[in-house]
Amino acid sequence: MGLGNPGPEFDRTRHNVGAECVELLAERHGEKLAKSKERALTAEIGIGSNRVALAFPQTYMNNSGESVRLLARRFGIETGDQLIVIHDELDLDSGRLKLKQGGGMAGHNGLKSITQQVGTTDFARLRIGVGRPPASQAGRDYVLRRPGKRDREVLDQAIERAADAVERVVTDGIDAAMAEFNQRPSANET
């Protein structure tokens, strides 16, 4: 589940890095996201011997849970360990990844909405760091704007690694993926 806001005005903004990761995963596996009745763009792919449903809710970020609830029903997701939510994170340096199972919302309205709608916090989260805004800029404005060229390059690399992390979770489990991807990126990756 890649979070973001629908519409071309939000394409390639910091808030949409989760959605970009899901789009990349679909592309890597020869699929394209398509509209679904669950208010999302979806695709099904194979990773190893596993069938994986990808989705980008077409509700706004703060209402992501409405779509996630419908998608969980459609794809038979019954427990939190069957769901990975990929989203932007202000509290991580730009380009840094942090994967974990369960946890709090850290003020993220998309996560709050999902928790309210699916009734659990036990889902996996893959946070993609977008960094903190300058002191003169509100967090909301920062995540809804497109980054400059250098920061965009860092985020593009992070999205590639995030897609790798999702594939690793599916094939080898969350612990193996956390051990590999929760490390700070090396200097040549930033």
Side-chain angles (χ1 to χ4, degrees):
M1 189 71 51
L3 300 187
N5 283 323
E9 67 271 29
F10 299 107
D11 286 348
R12 306 217 11 109
T13 63
R14 291 174 180 93
H15 220 26
N16 277 38
V17 293
E20 288 182 58
C21 180
V22 164
E23 290 168 346
L24 176 60
L25 281 163
E27 182 181 302
R28 278 184 181 180
H29 294 272
E31 294 295 333
K32 191 169 180 82
L33 297 175
K35 288 183 182 180
S36 73
K37 63 183 178 180
E38 293 83 12
R39 299 176 63 196
L41 299 177
T42 64
E44 289 186 64
I45 63 171
I47 299 177
S49 62
N50 300 293
R51 199 80 191 132
V52 177
L54 302 173
F56 169 20
Q58 295 297 283
T59 55
Y60 286 94
M61 176 78 76
N62 295 352
N63 297 316
S64 297
E66 296 170 13
S67 178
V68 174
R69 179 178 45 80
L70 297 171
L71 290 161
R73 185 177 308 139
R74 172 182 171 188
F75 292 108
I77 297 170
E78 298 175 357
T79 61
D81 63 347
Q82 295 175 296
L83 177 63
I84 303 170
V85 177
I86 311 158
H87 64 90
D88 61 305
E89 179 61 59
L90 286 168
D91 290 333
L92 290 176
D93 292 339
S94 189
R96 180 139 186 249
L97 301 181
K98 186 79 172 185
L99 180 64
K100 69 177 184 171
Q101 185 75 41
M105 303 305 106
H108 197 286
N109 290 328
L111 295 178
K112 288 178 187 176
S113 175
I114 292 169
T115 297
Q116 289 169 347
Q117 292 288 325
V118 299
T120 185
T121 60
D122 291 338
F123 50 88
R125 299 102 195 276
L126 177 52
R127 303 181 306 168
I128 301 174
V130 297
R132 299 297 287 165
S136 62
Q137 190 175 30
R140 180 186 186 283
D141 294 335
Y142 178 75
V143 297
L144 293 177
R145 290 205 176 124
R146 290 179 180 91
K149 183 179 178 182
R150 175 67 184 126
D151 199 30
R152 185 69 243 182
E153 290 170 357
V154 169
L155 291 175
D156 286 343
Q157 291 172 0
I159 291 163
E160 288 277 346
R161 286 193 329 276
D164 296 343
V166 170
E167 291 171 338
R168 183 76 191 268
V169 169
V170 172
T171 58
D172 299 320
I174 194 161
D175 291 335
M178 286 190 305
E180 181 177 349
F181 292 95
N182 283 359
Q183 306 299 318
R184 291 189 180 276
S186 63
N188 63 354
E189 291 181 288
T190 59

